[in-house]
Amino acid sequence: MKKTGKTFIIKDDVIIRDTYTIVGNKEGQGPLKNKFDMVIDDDLWGEDSWEKCELKMQRTAVENLKNKNNLINDNIDLLISGDLLNQITSSSFAARDLELPYIGVYGACSTMTLTMGLGAMLIDGGFAENIICVTSSHFCSAERQYRLPLEMGGQRHMSAQWTVTGSAAIWLSNSGKGPKIKHVTFGKIVDLGVKDANNMGAAMAPAAYDSLNQHLQDTGVDYDLIVTGDLGTIGKGIVNKMFNEENKSIESKYDDCGTIIFDIEKQDVHAGGSGCGCSAAVFGSFLYKKLLNNEIKKLLFTSTGALHSPTANLQGESIPGIAHCLGIEV
Amino acid sequence: MKYNKDNYKKVVDEFTPKNKMLKNCIMAFIFGGVICLIGEIINDSFVAWLGISDDEASPMTSVILVGISALLTGLGWYDKLGKIGGAGTVVPITGFANSVVSPALEFKREGFILGTAANIFKLAGPVLLFGYFSSFIAGLLSMVFK
């Protein structure tokens, strides 16, 4: 079996051939501003709703990734995508136009590594040669679904995070050159009873710790960089504390996409960025380029998700967390 | 992992930044105060210059404040005031108007009846319900004790 502990071993080459990232205006002004392939000017991008803007981002990310690499639909075996909206609207409606065999998945903000992990296993299993993985999130469409109307005057909690407007399409292939996915650990749901929807970082941190710990224990790989998806300042602090308490500190080589994508102080994002687009955009631009340039050789990339339901939350339920790890090596 | 639902809360509290209570209170006091001051100026102007009685000027003032708030919400400015003013912009009647206009704007893309009309009281609904209910109780009491 291609498995060690709870981690799947990708034995054959699964190469991350290329990426394409599109982000919103605010993200385009952040610390990674020159790293993205495209920055859109406003919340609507010529569409008449935020939801339509989000699916256009997903569709365009895939189309531009294909064009950039002269890929045609005949060469692509599968599209795996997901997003935050009800019925994963952005993914399904983007897939409608893309005319590719499609699997839609929901993993909240953990979707990027969920799609890439599934893609890697399908390629390693010999079922596919080329797969495109894509996720997206949009600040406005997420706010209106999960929180309050945008024009409602009020104050955001200091622990709240800012949903990233962004999308990234990733091309996985069994041939060519590029960083390779070596290990995949799908996390289990960990829920330590956080009910505060304004503190997602704290809700996800135990799941992130659990998956990271499992992955590191299973593989024994000494990573150059460990990156979580969107824990923000609070979740990142908690993960560090948990590892330190076990005397397995990762602090010197650990970072979080939610704290990388924004300038936390200047951009007024409180605890940092979040959303499916957060880890997707940071990986597709900043981290992927670091791997290509050999600045890092071994990356543990872990998208983190808060499987939050506003309905369940009102019924007194807490917020289940999940995290999926990808061990990527040059 | 050594954490469970009981001891994890302490860790969360340790890492979660506290809201700036004192600053928020001061800003709420200033913003709420200014809104009420504007209301008083409008009210007194009606009485002093237009010769309207105090009883009639009061609801007219409310209507004008609601109108201003709705306009500011539509222009996308009220949420910016709310970010600084906090409760000071939520509690006065202007905050109530904002809570009606903001969902109305947000749901207009889903159509006039099933979008805007169906969702316009999404936030203000509880205020209206308890408002109606307490006026009903007040009415009953006044009938009994008159």
Side-chain angles (χ1 to χ4, degrees):
Chain A
M1 201 159 62
K2 300 181 198 178
K3 205 177 166 197
T4 164
K6 301 260 185 247
T7 299
F8 298 103
I9 305 164
I10 307 298
K11 285 193 173 148
D12 290 334
D13 284 355
V14 176
I15 296 137
I16 307 171
R17 285 288 297 273
D18 201 6
T19 65
Y20 197 92
T21 49
I22 302 178
V23 295
N25 189 272
K26 191 181 178 88
E27 292 72 17
Q29 292 169 356
L32 305 184
K33 57 184 166 193
N34 301 320
K35 305 271 194 298
F36 304 112
D37 293 294
M38 188 189 277
V39 178
I40 61 174
D41 297 330
D42 61 35
D43 292 340
L44 288 169
W45 203 16
E47 297 294 311
D48 53 16
S49 75
W50 300 313
E51 288 79 4
K52 287 180 186 173
C53 170
E54 186 179 334
L55 79 89
K56 184 179 172 183
M57 284 198 305
Q58 245 197 56
R59 190 182 62 220
T60 312
V62 175
E63 279 168 353
N64 289 5
L65 178 72
K66 276 169 56 187
N67 294 339
K68 205 172 140 191
N69 294 286
N70 297 319
L71 272 169
I72 52 167
N73 275 7
D74 287 347
N75 306 131
I76 304 165
D77 301 300
L78 198 57
L79 172 75
I80 310 177
S81 53
D83 60 90
L84 289 177
L85 301 185
N86 292 337
Q87 295 90 37
I88 47 170
T89 319
S90 313
S91 306
S92 303
F93 284 65
R96 177 179 66 182
D97 301 328
L98 292 166
E99 296 183 331
L100 285 165
Y102 157 69
I103 298 178
V105 293
Y106 183 79
C109 313
S110 71
T111 309
M112 192 72 260
T113 50
L114 174 60
T115 58
M116 288 170 72
L118 288 171
M121 288 169 73
L122 284 166
I123 291 175
D124 190 42
F127 297 102
E129 290 181 345
N130 293 291
I131 293 180
I132 291 182
C133 302
V134 58
T135 70
S136 65
S137 56
H138 190 300
F139 174 75
C140 303
S141 61
E143 279 295 303
R144 75 175 292 206
Q145 179 178 302
Y146 288 99
R147 296 182 186 93
L148 292 166
L150 264 93
E151 297 304 334
M152 168 84 186
Q155 290 169 324
R156 297 169 67 80
H157 284 254
M158 293 314 289
S159 58
Q161 289 174 252
W162 189 278
T163 305
V164 165
T165 301
S167 176
I170 316 276
W171 173 24
L172 303 181
S173 177
N174 67 346
S175 61
K177 280 186 179 165
K180 292 169 188 156
I181 299 178
K182 291 285 188 188
H183 294 98
V184 179
T185 312
F186 292 118
K188 62 172 191 275
I189 289 178
V190 182
D191 185 345
L192 291 189
V194 175
K195 291 183 178 178
D196 183 1
N198 289 303
N199 200 350
M200 296 291 194
M204 293 186 282
Y209 167 79
D210 189 73
S211 297
L212 287 172
N213 195 37
Q214 183 73 49
H215 183 96
L216 293 170
Q217 205 176 303
D218 289 346
T219 63
V221 177
D222 183 19
Y223 287 100
D224 302 327
L225 185 64
I226 299 172
V227 178
T228 48
D230 59 344
L231 297 181
T233 50
I234 300 168
K236 184 178 163 185
I238 297 175
V239 165
N240 268 325
K241 181 188 167 80
M242 286 175 162
F243 275 103
N244 288 344
E245 281 173 351
E246 303 283 327
N247 289 322
K248 298 185 215 167
S249 177
I250 56 166
E251 213 158 343
S252 59
K253 52 186 180 183
Y254 168 56
D255 213 338
D256 180 76
C257 298
T259 62
I260 298 173
I261 195 163
F262 290 122
D263 185 324
I264 304 255
E265 293 301 319
K266 284 191 194 141
Q267 293 191 287
D268 192 30
V269 290
H270 294 201
S274 68
C276 295
C278 182
S279 62
V282 173
F283 176 79
S285 57
F286 178 63
L287 296 172
Y288 187 67
K289 286 190 175 82
K290 269 186 181 291
L291 286 164
L292 286 184
N293 298 337
N294 275 323
E295 283 173 59
I296 42 172
K297 287 190 162 48
K298 291 176 182 175
L299 168 72
L300 175 50
F301 175 44
T302 304
S303 296
T304 42
L307 301 168
H308 166 58
S309 152
T311 307
N313 199 238
L314 286 174
Q315 291 173 4
E317 275 285 2
S318 51
I319 301 166
I322 193 149
H324 306 298
C325 307
L326 294 183
I328 301 168
E329 298 179 26
V330 176
Chain B
M1 192 168 9
K2 64 175 199 174
Y3 290 105
N4 54 39
K5 284 187 183 181
D6 298 321
N7 59 17
Y8 184 58
K9 202 181 170 305
K10 232 174 118 182
V11 181
V12 176
D13 290 341
E14 180 192 327
F15 281 89
T16 305
K18 302 281 168 287
N19 287 325
K20 296 162 187 154
M21 187 75 102
L22 183 68
K23 187 188 159 208
N24 287 347
C25 285
I26 294 169
M27 294 315 273
F29 180 78
I30 295 169
F31 273 73
V34 168
I35 292 170
C36 295
L37 178 71
I38 295 169
E40 283 299 314
I41 293 170
I42 297 170
N43 195 69
D44 288 1
S45 307
F46 277 139
V47 176
W49 293 335
L50 299 177
I52 296 168
S53 75
D54 210 28
D55 280 352
E56 284 176 341
S58 168
M60 286 168 75
T61 305
S62 300
V63 168
I64 287 178
L65 286 175
V66 164
I68 293 171
S69 167
L71 185 69
L72 292 179
T73 305
L75 292 171
W77 295 347
Y78 202 87
D79 60 320
K80 293 188 175 72
L81 289 177
K83 186 174 162 38
I84 313 165
T89 56
V90 174
V91 176
I93 199 164
T94 49
F96 181 73
N98 170 251
S99 75
V100 175
V101 177
S102 56
L105 284 172
E106 186 129 322
F107 286 93
K108 70 171 193 260
R109 285 161 188 144
E110 282 77 37
F112 185 65
I113 293 174
L114 294 176
T116 298
N119 290 290
I120 193 165
F121 295 125
K122 208 175 178 185
L123 300 170
V127 183
L128 291 175
L129 175 70
F130 296 124
Y132 293 149
F133 183 68
S134 46
S135 19
F136 171 71
I137 299 288
L140 271 185
L141 290 175
S142 79
M143 204 169 71
V144 172
F145 293 107
K146 216 165 191 176

